[in-house]
Amino acid sequence: MRRRDSEHHLIQRSGWLRAAVLGANDGIVSVAGLVVGVAAGGAGQSALLATGIAGLVAGAMSMAAGEYVSVQSQADTEKADLRIEKRELHEDPQGELAELTAIYVRRGLEPALASEVARQLSAHDALAAHARDELGITEPLRAKPLQAALASAGAFSCGALLPIAAVLLAPEAWAGKLVTAVTVLGLFGSGALAARVGGAPVLRGGLRVAFWGALAMAAASAVGSLFDVRV
């Protein structure tokens, strides 16, 4: 039988998975949208390639910076709450013990048992008990800014390579159409893979992402067709 302490729950992937899925999808859609829009305006293959590479570099850096700043803000909030909780535990340990007991009572324990659980957990690590049960802060779900930034930038770059590869391989006259087709297929695969990793229905995840990607491609092509750019 499999040991219970060897269980690995999917929720532990939520920090990097969210950033990676967002980065990959954004890399595919944004760079493909740029390429399709410029192609609809009549640009040549060299201009499309330059557009795709510039979009990859700028987008990856933007995603990394945005993820880092936003997740760091969450981490700062968590640290501030922990500092407050640590101070309250120092100033009023009995009041904090009563607060922890009340939390367990609301969750369904008998008052006597709730009091004993709160007492033993506080004796072991009072701050960890309050962080987990009062603030909802646990180590697997703690904000990790660098992890999120690297996952987002790396996934964005991988996603952006798909439309760039399509530009390199496609005949110039078919570049826009091929990029659109490859992008939609890539988004379906990205959504399906993310759903599989996250334990969600694979088909629904793939179709959901592909639909919004196709909509983005249509909008980009419509905007690009308003201009006549020959390079």
Side-chain angles (χ1 to χ4, degrees):
M1 292 180 63
R2 183 164 62 98
R3 290 174 56 86
R4 295 291 295 174
D5 58 6
S6 67
E7 288 186 350
H8 183 72
H9 294 286
L10 298 177
I11 192 65
Q12 296 176 353
R13 303 172 178 173
S14 61
W16 64 264
L17 180 60
R18 179 200 61 80
V21 170
L22 177 62
N25 290 341
D26 196 21
I28 297 172
V29 174
S30 61
V31 173
L34 286 171
V35 170
V36 169
V38 174
Q45 190 174 36
S46 60
L48 298 182
L49 184 59
T51 298
I53 294 174
L56 185 157
V57 174
M61 295 180 66
S62 175
M63 290 295 293
E67 279 290 338
Y68 185 87
V69 170
S70 63
V71 179
Q72 184 61 58
S73 297
Q74 179 185 342
D76 291 342
T77 301
E78 291 175 352
K79 291 176 182 177
D81 275 340
L82 289 174
R83 284 196 299 269
I84 293 171
E85 199 63 37
K86 188 175 183 179
R87 185 181 69 244
E88 291 176 345
L89 283 167
H90 177 73
E91 295 175 350
D92 186 15
Q94 291 305 313
E96 290 299 300
L97 181 62
E99 185 178 31
L100 199 59
T101 300
I103 290 172
Y104 297 142
V105 169
R106 289 196 298 270
R107 292 183 179 179
L109 296 183
E110 295 291 335
L113 179 57
S115 178
E116 179 64 15
V117 170
R119 185 186 67 77
Q120 291 196 28
L121 289 177
S122 295
H124 175 68
D125 190 338
L127 183 59
H130 280 271
R132 179 182 61 251
D133 297 319
E134 181 183 350
L135 303 176
I137 300 174
T138 61
E139 190 56 36
L141 301 180
R142 287 285 297 271
K144 299 178 177 66
L146 185 59
Q147 181 193 67
L150 292 175
S152 183
F156 183 98
S157 299
C158 291
L161 287 174
L162 187 64
I164 292 175
V167 170
L168 286 172
L169 298 175
E172 186 168 325
W174 289 86
K177 295 181 178 63
L178 185 59
V179 168
T180 299
V182 168
T183 295
V184 173
L185 290 175
L187 287 171
F188 179 86
S190 171
L193 178 61
R196 181 176 176 81
V197 174
V202 173
L203 181 60
R204 184 171 65 188
L207 289 175
R208 178 174 53 202
V209 177
F211 170 78
W212 290 107
L215 200 62
M217 295 301 98
S221 181
V223 171
S225 64
L226 298 176
F227 300 88
D228 183 17
V229 180
R230 302 289 172 184
V231 180

